[in-house]
Amino acid sequence: MAMATPAASTTLSLLLPASPPMRLRARRPPARTRRSSRPLLLRASCAYALREGQSRRFHRLPCGLDLEVIAQQPPAPGAPGATAERPPLVFVHGSFHAAWCWAEHWLPFFSRAGFPCYALSLRAQGESSVPPEKVAGTLETHTGDIADFMKEVSLPPVLIGHSFGGLIVQQYISCLGELLHPKLAGAVLVCSVPPSGNSRLVWRYLLTKPVAAIKVTLSLAAKRFANSLSLCKETFFSPEMDDDLVQRYQGLMKDSSKLPLFDLRKLNASLPVASVPNNTVNILIVGANSDFIVDAEGLSETARFYNVQPVCIEGIAHDMMLDCSWDKGAGIILSWLEKLTPR
């Protein structure tokens, strides 16, 4: 069995390090921000054209930053396809992604099924404001931002998180007893980083799949996915995925992340997330058997933590919501939601 060098181990333990700053266009802040001592807030454009029925707005946080929100509402009452009122779905993306990754397929799919849908871009991602720090935030700041947005939602929502967004959702669940975190109707973890973080994933790759470990290092830690179409495809998508579509998503990923979501050293030192005794939140855990980032043991770890049976979908890769068989994961989640919220 090939053993990794300490240098390789250190690089892989970061997986998603800080990327070089991208060119930003200054956003003129409101008068109250100009008069304050806060630094100029910047917002960068991630050129994503909305689909029919979608809208983009910005949620102002108490700190003065704006979060991009892409929303899609279900058919109006009385319209064909309209259903009884259902809980809103709030989507949280992972690293190198933004609200657009949900807007492609899942927002239209779930809104047609009667669910109001809201996809957030976390700080320094998509078209959200960029803070002056070197990273976008921490588990606590991202969770607090989601909680602040939830005040705009009429009913307790279902929170859906992908990859590192799934870890943020887990942190939110652990904070549900706190006054500032609105309650949930349920939570879905999609190809989620497990509660202990990515360290165990990294070591398993190093010790059992050294070739895969090198590819993960190049693709994520060195951000080679942004310039290699084949590496981007292998990291996030199925082999059957059309190259032109992969190239389009690759461009959106390159533009999406102005700062890394976390300082991963500090993040891993703070994990695992707190357990929730007698957890009353309904949780669905979904993984993909062709996931290049979160392996089967990572999926099982998350399932054991919440004492639920995971669902592993065949023939689909890490970016389940964008992959060529995106409807497989969407269908499983819809079936779960139907049982959670019967007609």
Side-chain angles (χ1 to χ4, degrees), residues 46-52 54 56 70 100 103-104 248 252:
C46 177
Y48 179 78
L50 299 181
R51 292 177 171 267
E52 183 178 356
Q54 295 176 351
R56 176 185 283 113
I70 298 179
W100 61 265
E104 277 286 275
R248 175 170 169 256
L252 287 166

Side-chain angles (χ1 to χ4, degrees), residues 139-150:
L139 274 180
E140 291 73 21
T141 54
H142 292 312
T143 301
D145 292 349
I146 294 168
D148 190 74
F149 168 75
M150 297 266 219

Side-chain angles (χ1 to χ4, degrees), residues 191 205 233-240 287-295 312-319 323:
C191 298
Y205 276 122
K233 187 172 186 176
E234 186 170 358
T235 303
F236 298 106
F237 304 106
S238 296
E240 298 79 17
N289 77 319
S290 300
D291 195 334
F292 190 70
I293 297 174
V294 179
D295 62 6
C312 189
I313 304 174
E314 298 288 327
I316 199 163
H318 184 71
D319 270 17
D323 209 22

Side-chain angles (χ1 to χ4, degrees), residues 186-202:
V188 182
L189 306 178
V190 181
C191 298
S192 176
V193 171
S196 63
N198 64 350
S199 296
R200 294 178 184 174
L201 297 172
V202 168

Side-chain angles (χ1 to χ4, degrees), residues 69-91:
V69 181
I70 298 179
Q72 188 159 3
Q73 300 301 320
T83 60
E85 190 174 27
R86 293 185 165 190
L89 308 182
V90 177
F91 297 85

Side-chain angles (χ1 to χ4, degrees), residues 7 11 16 61-63 79 102 105 117 150 172 190 193 206 209-210 214 227 260 267 273-274 283 300 316 323:
T11 303
L16 306 175
L61 297 169
C63 65
W102 307 106
H105 303 298
C117 294
M150 297 266 219
Y172 190 100
V190 181
V193 171
L206 284 169
K209 300 177 181 178
I214 292 171
N227 299 309
L267 172 67
V273 297
I283 298 176
S300 297
I316 199 163
D323 209 22

Side-chain angles (χ1 to χ4, degrees), residues 218-235:
L218 291 174
S219 186
L220 299 176
K223 208 177 177 181
R224 291 284 183 86
F225 80 86
N227 299 309
S228 168
L229 186 65
S230 62
L231 204 50
C232 181
K233 187 172 186 176
E234 186 170 358
T235 303

